[in-house]
Amino acid sequence: FGALALVLRALDSFLLFQWSGNLDVHPDEQCRREQRFQSLIHITHRLINLACLAGLVIWILADVPGLSSLSVQLLLAGGAVIGALAIAFQGLLRDFMAGLVAAMEDRFALGDWVDLDGVEGEVVDAGVLSTSLRCLDQRVLVVPNGSIHRVLNHTKLRSGCEVTVIIEPSAASIDAVLVAVRETMEGFRADPDWSPHLLQPPLLRGVNDVTPLGITLSVLLITRAGRQWAAQRELLRRLVRRFQEEGIQLAFLPYPRRPLGLLQAGSVG
């Protein structure tokens, strides 16, 4: 059974490697397959080990003297015991099935940045029973797969974020502000260091909201998977520098005394 497990693991690795290296798919899909490769290897190898171990236990039990000649009543009693154990461990069975479904549906893979029911982090372990996230503070959160109801994946195939800029209503002409934002976006898109990370040119969505506190402008970034936050920070840096040069004032809340900020952004990837 040990040799069988090694052969099955080698065959599984070979087949998954061929699947991930298929060149007849879209480049983005190929990158996603390469990322999923590690997760699927992790899960399938565990399942192979578990199946071989179960087969070994059944083989040993079948060779116990007298066990093969048990009466039907004892076999039925054994089935009832197994059913009772299944009820007792139904939580583990639920986690197991949820983990298999998540792997087959490609809800997340190792290295993805996800939001699981309001908790964000990088997937560092995607097992059949639980999923481990490393949060921003570097703590590791282990979530049972059966308790996951909502998955928000920020890095699947592509990523994006909406950057909002809130300026003072009387700070400058809104047309002048839009021109400054548009020119900054064009310079950002033309930068050879950042253009390879942008799947689409930055989109100036215009005025999103007008209140007595400020005028909200919106910019949408569509980037390669996982590059949205770096692109957001760079665009914000360029906007701040341009606003300082043009004398454009950001809006401030009366309390607490801090700017509403350029750092209001939501991920859409």
Side-chain angles (χ1 to χ4, degrees):
F1 276 94
L4 178 62
L6 292 177
V7 171
L8 291 177
R9 285 164 61 106
L11 179 61
D12 173 66
S13 300
F14 173 75
L15 293 176
L16 287 177
F17 179 78
Q18 294 297 319
W19 170 78
S20 66
N22 186 6
L23 300 179
D24 295 332
V25 298
H26 192 273
D28 290 339
E29 178 64 27
Q30 184 179 0
C31 292
R32 182 62 184 176
R33 287 189 179 190
E34 293 175 357
Q35 184 180 4
R36 292 187 65 196
F37 173 77
Q38 297 297 330
S39 297
L40 293 176
I41 283 288
H42 190 68
I43 293 176
T44 53
H45 281 191
R46 287 184 178 180
L47 292 178
I48 290 173
N49 293 340
L50 181 61
C52 290
L53 181 60
L56 178 62
V57 171
I58 294 175
W59 189 24
I60 293 175
L61 292 179
D63 199 43
V64 174
L67 191 62
S68 58
S69 60
L70 289 177
S71 64
V72 176
Q73 290 79 6
L74 288 178
L75 291 177
L76 292 177
V81 172
I82 294 176
L85 291 176
I87 295 176
F89 294 100
Q90 59 181 336
L92 291 178
L93 293 177
R94 183 177 64 251
D95 294 338
F96 179 80
M97 295 305 300
L100 290 182
V101 171
M104 290 186 295
E105 292 186 349
D106 188 21
R107 296 180 181 176
F108 46 78
L110 292 178
D112 277 339
W113 188 273
V114 298
D115 181 333
L116 302 183
D117 296 324
V119 180
E120 290 194 18
E122 179 186 359
V123 178
V124 294
D125 186 16
V128 292
L129 295 180
S130 63
T131 300
S132 299
L133 302 181
R134 185 172 295 279
C135 304
L136 279 175
D137 57 7
Q138 300 305 300
R139 292 183 297 177
V140 175
L141 176 68
V142 180
V143 183
N145 289 329
S147 65
I148 299 175
H149 300 97
R150 184 181 68 92
V151 178
L152 181 60
N153 194 328
H154 295 281
T155 54
K156 184 176 179 179
L157 296 180
R158 61 178 186 174
S159 300
C161 61
E162 182 183 14
V163 182
T164 58
V165 179
I166 306 177
I167 62 173
E168 285 281 356
S170 58
S173 168
I174 186 62
D175 293 332
V177 175
L178 290 174
V179 169
V181 174
R182 185 175 293 107
E183 291 179 354
T184 304
M185 290 166 40
E186 293 174 354
F188 177 63
R189 180 178 62 87
D191 191 328
D193 293 333
W194 290 98
S195 58
H197 303 296
L198 301 177
L199 296 181
Q200 299 177 13
L203 174 63
L204 177 58
R205 302 178 68 187
V207 178
N208 269 10
D209 191 21
V210 178
T211 68
L213 295 177
I215 301 174
T216 303
L217 306 179
S218 174
V219 176
L220 180 62
L221 295 177
I222 303 297
T223 70
R224 297 190 180 276
R227 299 299 300 170
Q228 72 273 35
W229 294 299
Q232 172 196 346
R233 290 190 292 268
E234 176 62 18
L235 179 59
L236 290 174
R237 184 187 69 83
R238 296 178 181 228
L239 287 172
V240 168
R241 185 176 62 186
R242 181 61 182 269
F243 287 172
Q244 290 174 345
E245 294 174 354
E246 299 288 340
I248 300 173
Q249 298 294 324
L250 299 180
F252 282 81
L253 282 174
Y255 184 83
R257 291 186 177 180
R258 62 180 179 87
L260 287 173
L262 289 168
L263 300 179
Q264 298 182 4
S267 295
V268 294

